[in-house]
Amino acid sequence: MAYTVPKLDDYSQETVAREANKLVAALEVESESVHTEEEWKVFRDRWLSRKNGIKSQLNDLWLKAAPTEHKRHIGQAVNLLVSKIEHDVESRHRYVQTYLGFLGAASGIAKAVHELSLERQPIDITLPGIRRPLGAEHPVLRTMNEITGVFRAMGYSVAEGPEIESDYYNFEALNFPPNHPARDTQDTIFVAGQEKKPQRDRLLLRTHTSPVQIRAMLRQPPPIRVVVPGKVHRADTADATHSPIFHQVEGLAVDTDITFCDLKGTLDHAMKALFGSDVKTRFYPSFFPFTEPSADVQVTCFKCGGKGCRLCKMSGWIELLGCGMVDPNVFKFVESNGYDARKISGFAFGMGVERITMLKYGIDDIQLFYQGDVRFLEQFA
Ligand code: DAH
């Protein structure tokens, strides 16, 4: 039943308060059911219309009907109720307008979502999907890992050393005496401004991984078997076969009774593992200050099988690495850690990773490794 303003049976405070509460409760319930502009107009007129709205009923039925002695407090009550009615009607109007605004926006969004929805767009299932290309190991690192892998399988551990090295480790402890012409073969890049330091302390960019032989022997007494992959630097002009930065893998084995036969057997096995079991090796006399005797290792050309072709310059052999028996002079520099040349012996070897990679894959320009051209690199994926 819709609310109507009752006549008051009496004008006591209690009666007025009770009836006022009923009116406010009805006002609030009705206000909450208003959601549209039309509903709100009906609501407004019902409560505020001069023609028989609840506000004018209050005036007629409560205020005008009240005997004089009650007019004062009935008047106050009616005023309060009227301002409450006006306030609620007004605030419901604001609510309805905001609410309608939201509804409008929401239905706009819903419509847009619907327009974009998959069901409304034709799907071409023959289009290719989005492919994320997998990265691949760089060919130089791949060869480097392959080489260290071959030696790890023979019980070698892996060590690394600094790229900025002192003259002592790069030269002196490897039996390159000061001012010896063998230093010239290394095309060294020196760190500038160190003239005041003693020569052995001057810094340079290591020209080979051999200084890590010394560092490894200082860290670990014999026996030792270690391979050292790493980056080296030389003052070389870049061309198809030279790069000022390249990579080497160094090897060192020291124990009692290590002989040249161990060196030959080890490297012959390693070359077969890297280039195929058909290759043969030969050891060609050479010179390095830190090995005595020294040798260059050559393998039969894996392209022509030894008959002679462009790759092996018609010789049938390809030169791959340097090696030799550790010179007793080198052991003198690490004697304090148990390397007594009268009791132990060892061999060492060092190989260029780029050169081996080029030979393995038939690459004719070393610069391709550093240019980052994906068309080149993705062939190794
Ligand atoms: N360090 C030499 C170079 O870069 C290569 C080398 C030769 C390393 C003989 C060795 C070795 O360990 O025994 O030219």
Side-chain angles (χ1 to χ4, degrees):
M1 264 288 280
Y3 174 82
T4 51
V5 180
K7 279 190 182 142
L8 294 174
D9 299 333
D10 66 83
Y11 297 94
S12 67
Q13 300 266 19
E14 299 79 61
T15 305
V16 172
R18 195 182 61 238
E19 289 303 329
N21 281 339
K22 282 189 201 161
L23 180 146
V24 167
L27 172 68
E28 286 174 355
V29 169
E30 284 185 30
S31 170
E32 274 179 24
S33 69
V34 171
H35 289 102
T36 64
E37 189 72 21
E38 286 70 39
E39 286 171 357
W40 176 77
K41 282 181 181 156
V42 172
F43 171 65
R44 177 196 60 190
D45 294 347
R46 175 168 146 69
W47 288 83
L48 291 175
S49 158
R50 273 178 230 281
K51 257 197 304 161
N52 213 29
I54 285 170
K55 173 180 165 184
S56 59
Q57 288 177 29
L58 277 177
N59 277 323
D60 293 346
L61 298 175
W62 289 18
L63 189 58
K64 285 184 189 156
T68 320
E69 67 270 26
H70 291 300
K71 281 243 194 284
R72 203 177 144 80
H73 82 262
I74 296 292
Q76 283 174 349
V78 168
N79 278 345
L80 277 176
L81 287 170
V82 167
S83 48
K84 165 77 176 160
I85 292 168
E86 285 171 344
H87 171 268
D88 280 20
V89 169
E90 175 55 34
S91 87
R92 193 62 189 181
H93 196 206
R94 259 182 279 125
Y95 167 81
V96 165
Q97 285 176 335
T98 321
Y99 178 75
L100 290 178
F102 276 136
L103 278 187
S107 81
I109 291 168
K111 214 172 139 208
V113 168
H114 180 65
E115 295 291 324
L116 290 171
S117 67
L118 276 182
E119 303 95 82
R120 292 179 55 86
Q121 306 208 348
I123 297 175
D124 183 350
I125 58 164
T126 65
L127 285 174
I130 297 165
R131 216 180 268 260
R132 284 177 191 279
L134 275 186
E137 224 175 6
H138 189 281
V140 168
L141 282 183
R142 179 172 165 156
T143 307
M144 199 145 86
N145 288 336
E146 208 178 314
I147 297 168
T148 52
V150 166
F151 287 95
R152 280 167 66 101
M154 289 190 273
Y156 284 64
S157 54
V158 179
E160 287 182 305
E163 272 174 60
I164 300 175
E165 190 52 284
S166 67
D167 185 282
Y168 178 78
Y169 288 108
N170 197 78
F171 290 125
E172 193 176 328
L174 287 167
N175 198 35
F176 288 80
N179 305 317
H180 192 277
R183 289 176 172 233
D184 299 346
T185 66
Q186 299 272 324
D187 299 309
T188 310
I189 296 171
F190 293 92
V191 174
Q194 304 190 82
E195 296 74 12
K196 289 207 189 75
K197 288 185 182 172
Q199 181 168 23
R200 60 166 54 177
D201 295 337
R202 291 182 199 162
L203 297 176
L204 45 83
L205 301 187
R206 69 177 177 194
T207 57
H208 51 178
T209 42
S210 304
V212 190
Q213 287 187 31
I214 307 297
R215 292 181 175 277
M217 287 190 281
L218 288 176
R219 212 179 302 144
Q220 183 187 322
I224 188 171
R225 281 168 181 76
V226 68
V227 275
V228 183
K231 192 181 283 177
V232 303
H233 303 253
R234 291 193 192 177
D236 269 333
T237 307
D239 63 23
T241 52
H242 294 83
S243 164
I245 300 176
F246 60 103
H247 300 78
Q248 292 187 332
V249 176
E250 188 82 14
L252 173 72
V254 181
D255 204 337
T256 47
D257 301 322
I258 294 241
T259 68
F260 202 89
C261 286
D262 298 311
L263 170 60
K264 287 187 78 171
T266 301
L267 290 180
D268 185 70
H269 167 78
M271 293 307 115
K272 286 181 161 66
L274 290 172
F275 292 102
S277 50
D278 291 343
V279 301
K280 292 184 177 63
T281 52
R282 84 177 175 187
F283 290 70
Y284 204 82
S286 183
F287 171 80
F288 299 100
F290 39 92
T291 44
E292 183 60 36
S294 303
D296 283 330
V297 180
Q298 302 176 347
V299 299
T300 43
C301 180
F302 30 79
K303 192 159 184 202
C304 64
K307 283 195 217 74
C309 66
R310 243 183 56 165
L311 186 68
C312 58
K313 298 192 187 102
M314 304 314 288
S315 73
W317 293 93
I318 292 178
E319 197 175 297
L320 275 186
L321 66 142
C323 66
M325 301 305 292
V326 177
D327 193 304
N329 285 341
V330 171
F331 285 135
K332 280 206 192 104
F333 289 92
V334 291
E335 208 165 16
S336 60
N337 203 23
Y339 290 88
D340 180 345
R342 287 163 304 186
K343 296 186 185 142
I344 47 102
S345 56
F347 62 76
F349 55 87
M351 54 191 104
V353 182
E354 278 82 348
R355 181 168 153 73
I356 291 180
T357 312
M358 290 167 78
L359 291 167
K360 259 176 89 86
Y361 298 106
I363 297 163
D364 57 9
D365 184 353
I366 195 173
Q367 301 304 325
L368 286 165
F369 292 130
Y370 316 114
Q371 286 161 347
D373 187 332
V374 175
R375 292 168 302 179
F376 169 70
L377 296 172
E378 70 188 359
Q379 299 176 72
F380 300 89

